Amino acid sequence: TLGLPVIDADPWTALIMVGIVLSVSLGCMNLILAVIVESAAEGRTKDRDQIAKQKEKEQAGTKAELLQICAEIDTDFSGSITLEEMQTAWNKHKEFRKIMTLLECNEDSL
């Protein structure tokens, strides 16, 4: 309503008024979009950190289990595990095989 008297007096000023309205509208939408993108990026970072912490906890628990299983498969009670003991455990001890698989080890990498 403010621009109507100006446009009535000089019709070419309508182009300037439309340009101003469009620029302000696009600027506001850009600010809103920037806030949305920033919050999404922050959420992604939090999720990534949480997943890393969860994986660390799982691996710590898995390593503790593996130490207990290693004590069980040390058949000669030497305090260390030979290759033969590990291969035997891989074939006979389901839990050992499961944990080693979780730790991304396979029979060939023993």
Side-chain angles (χ1 to χ4, degrees), residues 22-46:
L22 287 175
S23 296
V24 171
S25 297
L26 289 175
C28 289
M29 287 191 322
N30 190 25
L31 287 174
I32 292 169
L33 184 61
V35 169
I36 292 170
V37 168
E38 182 65 29
S39 65
E42 186 177 316
R44 184 183 69 229
T45 302
K46 285 181 182 178

PDB file of all heavy atoms in Angstrom, residues 22-46:
ATOM      1  N   LEU A  22      11.287  -9.020  -3.775  1.00  0.00           N
ATOM      2  CA  LEU A  22      11.905 -10.317  -4.075  1.00  0.00           C
ATOM      3  C   LEU A  22      13.235 -10.485  -3.327  1.00  0.00           C
ATOM      4  O   LEU A  22      13.518 -11.562  -2.779  1.00  0.00           O
ATOM      5  CB  LEU A  22      12.121 -10.478  -5.581  1.00  0.00           C
ATOM      6  CG  LEU A  22      10.870 -10.731  -6.417  1.00  0.00           C
ATOM      7  CD1 LEU A  22      11.222 -10.755  -7.903  1.00  0.00           C
ATOM      8  CD2 LEU A  22      10.226 -12.031  -5.997  1.00  0.00           C
ATOM      9  N   SER A  23      14.055  -9.460  -3.288  1.00  0.00           N
ATOM     10  CA  SER A  23      15.350  -9.544  -2.604  1.00  0.00           C
ATOM     11  C   SER A  23      15.167  -9.804  -1.114  1.00  0.00           C
ATOM     12  O   SER A  23      15.852 -10.653  -0.526  1.00  0.00           O
ATOM     13  CB  SER A  23      16.146  -8.256  -2.798  1.00  0.00           C
ATOM     14  OG  SER A  23      16.470  -8.069  -4.138  1.00  0.00           O
ATOM     15  N   VAL A  24      14.258  -9.092  -0.489  1.00  0.00           N
ATOM     16  CA  VAL A  24      14.004  -9.280   0.943  1.00  0.00           C
ATOM     17  C   VAL A  24      13.451 -10.681   1.203  1.00  0.00           C
ATOM     18  O   VAL A  24      13.870 -11.361   2.145  1.00  0.00           O
ATOM     19  CB  VAL A  24      13.059  -8.177   1.479  1.00  0.00           C
ATOM     20  CG1 VAL A  24      12.605  -8.484   2.896  1.00  0.00           C
ATOM     21  CG2 VAL A  24      13.751  -6.821   1.420  1.00  0.00           C
ATOM     22  N   SER A  25      12.533 -11.132   0.366  1.00  0.00           N
ATOM     23  CA  SER A  25      11.948 -12.472   0.539  1.00  0.00           C
ATOM     24  C   SER A  25      13.014 -13.558   0.400  1.00  0.00           C
ATOM     25  O   SER A  25      13.087 -14.483   1.218  1.00  0.00           O
ATOM     26  CB  SER A  25      10.848 -12.711  -0.488  1.00  0.00           C
ATOM     27  OG  SER A  25       9.796 -11.809  -0.298  1.00  0.00           O
ATOM     28  N   LEU A  26      13.838 -13.457  -0.624  1.00  0.00           N
ATOM     29  CA  LEU A  26      14.893 -14.455  -0.821  1.00  0.00           C
ATOM     30  C   LEU A  26      15.918 -14.415   0.307  1.00  0.00           C
ATOM     31  O   LEU A  26      16.417 -15.454   0.742  1.00  0.00           O
ATOM     32  CB  LEU A  26      15.574 -14.246  -2.181  1.00  0.00           C
ATOM     33  CG  LEU A  26      14.739 -14.617  -3.398  1.00  0.00           C
ATOM     34  CD1 LEU A  26      15.480 -14.244  -4.676  1.00  0.00           C
ATOM     35  CD2 LEU A  26      14.400 -16.089  -3.383  1.00  0.00           C
ATOM     36  N   GLY A  27      16.230 -13.236   0.796  1.00  0.00           N
ATOM     37  CA  GLY A  27      17.161 -13.118   1.917  1.00  0.00           C
ATOM     38  C   GLY A  27      16.630 -13.796   3.170  1.00  0.00           C
ATOM     39  O   GLY A  27      17.359 -14.513   3.870  1.00  0.00           O
ATOM     40  N   CYS A  28      15.362 -13.589   3.468  1.00  0.00           N
ATOM     41  CA  CYS A  28      14.744 -14.229   4.645  1.00  0.00           C
ATOM     42  C   CYS A  28      14.718 -15.749   4.486  1.00  0.00           C
ATOM     43  O   CYS A  28      15.015 -16.491   5.433  1.00  0.00           O
ATOM     44  CB  CYS A  28      13.333 -13.699   4.856  1.00  0.00           C
ATOM     45  SG  CYS A  28      13.294 -12.001   5.443  1.00  0.00           S
ATOM     46  N   MET A  29      14.350 -16.227   3.307  1.00  0.00           N
ATOM     47  CA  MET A  29      14.329 -17.675   3.076  1.00  0.00           C
ATOM     48  C   MET A  29      15.734 -18.262   3.196  1.00  0.00           C
ATOM     49  O   MET A  29      15.913 -19.358   3.723  1.00  0.00           O
ATOM     50  CB  MET A  29      13.734 -17.990   1.697  1.00  0.00           C
ATOM     51  CG  MET A  29      12.244 -17.787   1.654  1.00  0.00           C
ATOM     52  SD  MET A  29      11.389 -18.422   0.185  1.00  0.00           S
ATOM     53  CE  MET A  29      12.472 -18.081  -1.137  1.00  0.00           C
ATOM     54  N   ASN A  30      16.737 -17.531   2.738  1.00  0.00           N
ATOM     55  CA  ASN A  30      18.116 -17.990   2.837  1.00  0.00           C
ATOM     56  C   ASN A  30      18.536 -18.118   4.295  1.00  0.00           C
ATOM     57  O   ASN A  30      19.202 -19.087   4.679  1.00  0.00           O
ATOM     58  CB  ASN A  30      19.040 -17.035   2.085  1.00  0.00           C
ATOM     59  CG  ASN A  30      20.429 -17.592   1.950  1.00  0.00           C
ATOM     60  OD1 ASN A  30      20.626 -18.792   1.985  1.00  0.00           O
ATOM     61  ND2 ASN A  30      21.402 -16.710   1.794  1.00  0.00           N
ATOM     62  N   LEU A  31      18.169 -17.167   5.135  1.00  0.00           N
ATOM     63  CA  LEU A  31      18.490 -17.239   6.565  1.00  0.00           C
ATOM     64  C   LEU A  31      17.810 -18.438   7.225  1.00  0.00           C
ATOM     65  O   LEU A  31      18.427 -19.158   8.022  1.00  0.00           O
ATOM     66  CB  LEU A  31      18.078 -15.944   7.271  1.00  0.00           C
ATOM     67  CG  LEU A  31      18.939 -14.726   6.985  1.00  0.00           C
ATOM     68  CD1 LEU A  31      18.327 -13.492   7.630  1.00  0.00           C
ATOM     69  CD2 LEU A  31      20.346 -14.948   7.509  1.00  0.00           C
ATOM     70  N   ILE A  32      16.557 -18.647   6.907  1.00  0.00           N
ATOM     71  CA  ILE A  32      15.826 -19.785   7.476  1.00  0.00           C
ATOM     72  C   ILE A  32      16.474 -21.095   7.040  1.00  0.00           C
ATOM     73  O   ILE A  32      16.687 -22.011   7.852  1.00  0.00           O
ATOM     74  CB  ILE A  32      14.339 -19.726   7.064  1.00  0.00           C
ATOM     75  CG1 ILE A  32      13.674 -18.534   7.731  1.00  0.00           C
ATOM     76  CG2 ILE A  32      13.626 -21.014   7.429  1.00  0.00           C
ATOM     77  CD1 ILE A  32      12.292 -18.219   7.197  1.00  0.00           C
ATOM     78  N   LEU A  33      16.798 -21.214   5.777  1.00  0.00           N
ATOM     79  CA  LEU A  33      17.437 -22.424   5.269  1.00  0.00           C
ATOM     80  C   LEU A  33      18.802 -22.652   5.918  1.00  0.00           C
ATOM     81  O   LEU A  33      19.162 -23.786   6.240  1.00  0.00           O
ATOM     82  CB  LEU A  33      17.568 -22.353   3.752  1.00  0.00           C
ATOM     83  CG  LEU A  33      18.139 -23.597   3.069  1.00  0.00           C
ATOM     84  CD1 LEU A  33      17.243 -24.798   3.336  1.00  0.00           C
ATOM     85  CD2 LEU A  33      18.288 -23.362   1.582  1.00  0.00           C
ATOM     86  N   ALA A  34      19.557 -21.584   6.145  1.00  0.00           N
ATOM     87  CA  ALA A  34      20.869 -21.713   6.786  1.00  0.00           C
ATOM     88  C   ALA A  34      20.726 -22.270   8.200  1.00  0.00           C
ATOM     89  O   ALA A  34      21.518 -23.116   8.633  1.00  0.00           O
ATOM     90  CB  ALA A  34      21.576 -20.363   6.813  1.00  0.00           C
ATOM     91  N   VAL A  35      19.724 -21.838   8.931  1.00  0.00           N
ATOM     92  CA  VAL A  35      19.488 -22.350  10.293  1.00  0.00           C
ATOM     93  C   VAL A  35      19.121 -23.832  10.239  1.00  0.00           C
ATOM     94  O   VAL A  35      19.614 -24.638  11.035  1.00  0.00           O
ATOM     95  CB  VAL A  35      18.379 -21.527  10.988  1.00  0.00           C
ATOM     96  CG1 VAL A  35      17.934 -22.185  12.272  1.00  0.00           C
ATOM     97  CG2 VAL A  35      18.871 -20.111  11.251  1.00  0.00           C
ATOM     98  N   ILE A  36      18.286 -24.209   9.306  1.00  0.00           N
ATOM     99  CA  ILE A  36      17.881 -25.618   9.173  1.00  0.00           C
ATOM    100  C   ILE A  36      19.079 -26.493   8.829  1.00  0.00           C
ATOM    101  O   ILE A  36      19.292 -27.552   9.428  1.00  0.00           O
ATOM    102  CB  ILE A  36      16.770 -25.764   8.108  1.00  0.00           C
ATOM    103  CG1 ILE A  36      15.482 -25.101   8.608  1.00  0.00           C
ATOM    104  CG2 ILE A  36      16.527 -27.228   7.765  1.00  0.00           C
ATOM    105  CD1 ILE A  36      14.403 -24.972   7.558  1.00  0.00           C
ATOM    106  N   VAL A  37      19.892 -26.075   7.894  1.00  0.00           N
ATOM    107  CA  VAL A  37      21.058 -26.851   7.480  1.00  0.00           C
ATOM    108  C   VAL A  37      22.061 -26.964   8.630  1.00  0.00           C
ATOM    109  O   VAL A  37      22.629 -28.028   8.870  1.00  0.00           O
ATOM    110  CB  VAL A  37      21.713 -26.227   6.226  1.00  0.00           C
ATOM    111  CG1 VAL A  37      23.071 -26.832   5.945  1.00  0.00           C
ATOM    112  CG2 VAL A  37      20.794 -26.398   5.028  1.00  0.00           C
ATOM    113  N   GLU A  38      22.266 -25.887   9.353  1.00  0.00           N
ATOM    114  CA  GLU A  38      23.208 -25.895  10.479  1.00  0.00           C
ATOM    115  C   GLU A  38      22.747 -26.850  11.576  1.00  0.00           C
ATOM    116  O   GLU A  38      23.539 -27.600  12.137  1.00  0.00           O
ATOM    117  CB  GLU A  38      23.367 -24.479  11.048  1.00  0.00           C
ATOM    118  CG  GLU A  38      24.352 -24.384  12.183  1.00  0.00           C
ATOM    119  CD  GLU A  38      25.775 -24.701  11.768  1.00  0.00           C
ATOM    120  OE1 GLU A  38      26.126 -24.466  10.600  1.00  0.00           O
ATOM    121  OE2 GLU A  38      26.537 -25.189  12.619  1.00  0.00           O
ATOM    122  N   SER A  39      21.456 -26.846  11.875  1.00  0.00           N
ATOM    123  CA  SER A  39      20.960 -27.752  12.909  1.00  0.00           C
ATOM    124  C   SER A  39      21.057 -29.211  12.455  1.00  0.00           C
ATOM    125  O   SER A  39      21.346 -30.108  13.253  1.00  0.00           O
ATOM    126  CB  SER A  39      19.527 -27.404  13.304  1.00  0.00           C
ATOM    127  OG  SER A  39      18.644 -27.609  12.237  1.00  0.00           O
ATOM    128  N   ALA A  40      20.839 -29.463  11.179  1.00  0.00           N
ATOM    129  CA  ALA A  40      20.980 -30.826  10.657  1.00  0.00           C
ATOM    130  C   ALA A  40      22.437 -31.277  10.725  1.00  0.00           C
ATOM    131  O   ALA A  40      22.723 -32.425  11.086  1.00  0.00           O
ATOM    132  CB  ALA A  40      20.470 -30.901   9.222  1.00  0.00           C
ATOM    133  N   ALA A  41      23.364 -30.406  10.406  1.00  0.00           N
ATOM    134  CA  ALA A  41      24.787 -30.748  10.467  1.00  0.00           C
ATOM    135  C   ALA A  41      25.207 -31.024  11.911  1.00  0.00           C
ATOM    136  O   ALA A  41      25.977 -31.950  12.180  1.00  0.00           O
ATOM    137  CB  ALA A  41      25.629 -29.618   9.877  1.00  0.00           C
ATOM    138  N   GLU A  42      24.692 -30.240  12.837  1.00  0.00           N
ATOM    139  CA  GLU A  42      25.007 -30.452  14.254  1.00  0.00           C
ATOM    140  C   GLU A  42      24.449 -31.789  14.733  1.00  0.00           C
ATOM    141  O   GLU A  42      25.118 -32.526  15.453  1.00  0.00           O
ATOM    142  CB  GLU A  42      24.408 -29.308  15.075  1.00  0.00           C
ATOM    143  CG  GLU A  42      24.780 -29.344  16.538  1.00  0.00           C
ATOM    144  CD  GLU A  42      24.208 -28.146  17.280  1.00  0.00           C
ATOM    145  OE1 GLU A  42      24.289 -27.034  16.747  1.00  0.00           O
ATOM    146  OE2 GLU A  42      23.690 -28.350  18.390  1.00  0.00           O
ATOM    147  N   GLY A  43      23.238 -32.109  14.310  1.00  0.00           N
ATOM    148  CA  GLY A  43      22.636 -33.397  14.666  1.00  0.00           C
ATOM    149  C   GLY A  43      23.432 -34.558  14.099  1.00  0.00           C
ATOM    150  O   GLY A  43      23.620 -35.580  14.762  1.00  0.00           O
ATOM    151  N   ARG A  44      23.918 -34.416  12.881  1.00  0.00           N
ATOM    152  CA  ARG A  44      24.717 -35.473  12.258  1.00  0.00           C
ATOM    153  C   ARG A  44      26.018 -35.687  13.031  1.00  0.00           C
ATOM    154  O   ARG A  44      26.439 -36.815  13.263  1.00  0.00           O
ATOM    155  CB  ARG A  44      25.011 -35.123  10.804  1.00  0.00           C
ATOM    156  CG  ARG A  44      25.770 -36.223  10.067  1.00  0.00           C
ATOM    157  CD  ARG A  44      26.117 -35.841   8.642  1.00  0.00           C
ATOM    158  NE  ARG A  44      27.113 -34.791   8.666  1.00  0.00           N
ATOM    159  CZ  ARG A  44      27.036 -33.668   7.963  1.00  0.00           C
ATOM    160  NH1 ARG A  44      26.019 -33.457   7.175  1.00  0.00           N
ATOM    161  NH2 ARG A  44      27.990 -32.761   8.026  1.00  0.00           N
ATOM    162  N   THR A  45      26.641 -34.600  13.471  1.00  0.00           N
ATOM    163  CA  THR A  45      27.876 -34.703  14.246  1.00  0.00           C
ATOM    164  C   THR A  45      27.623 -35.408  15.576  1.00  0.00           C
ATOM    165  O   THR A  45      28.405 -36.267  15.984  1.00  0.00           O
ATOM    166  CB  THR A  45      28.461 -33.295  14.487  1.00  0.00           C
ATOM    167  OG1 THR A  45      28.696 -32.681  13.229  1.00  0.00           O
ATOM    168  CG2 THR A  45      29.765 -33.373  15.254  1.00  0.00           C
ATOM    169  N   LYS A  46      26.528 -35.061  16.237  1.00  0.00           N
ATOM    170  CA  LYS A  46      26.185 -35.717  17.508  1.00  0.00           C
ATOM    171  C   LYS A  46      25.942 -37.205  17.294  1.00  0.00           C
ATOM    172  O   LYS A  46      26.374 -38.034  18.093  1.00  0.00           O
ATOM    173  CB  LYS A  46      24.960 -35.064  18.139  1.00  0.00           C
ATOM    174  CG  LYS A  46      25.241 -33.720  18.760  1.00  0.00           C
ATOM    175  CD  LYS A  46      23.986 -33.143  19.393  1.00  0.00           C
ATOM    176  CE  LYS A  46      24.252 -31.770  19.972  1.00  0.00           C
ATOM    177  NZ  LYS A  46      23.026 -31.180  20.551  1.00  0.00           N
TER     178      LYS A  46
END
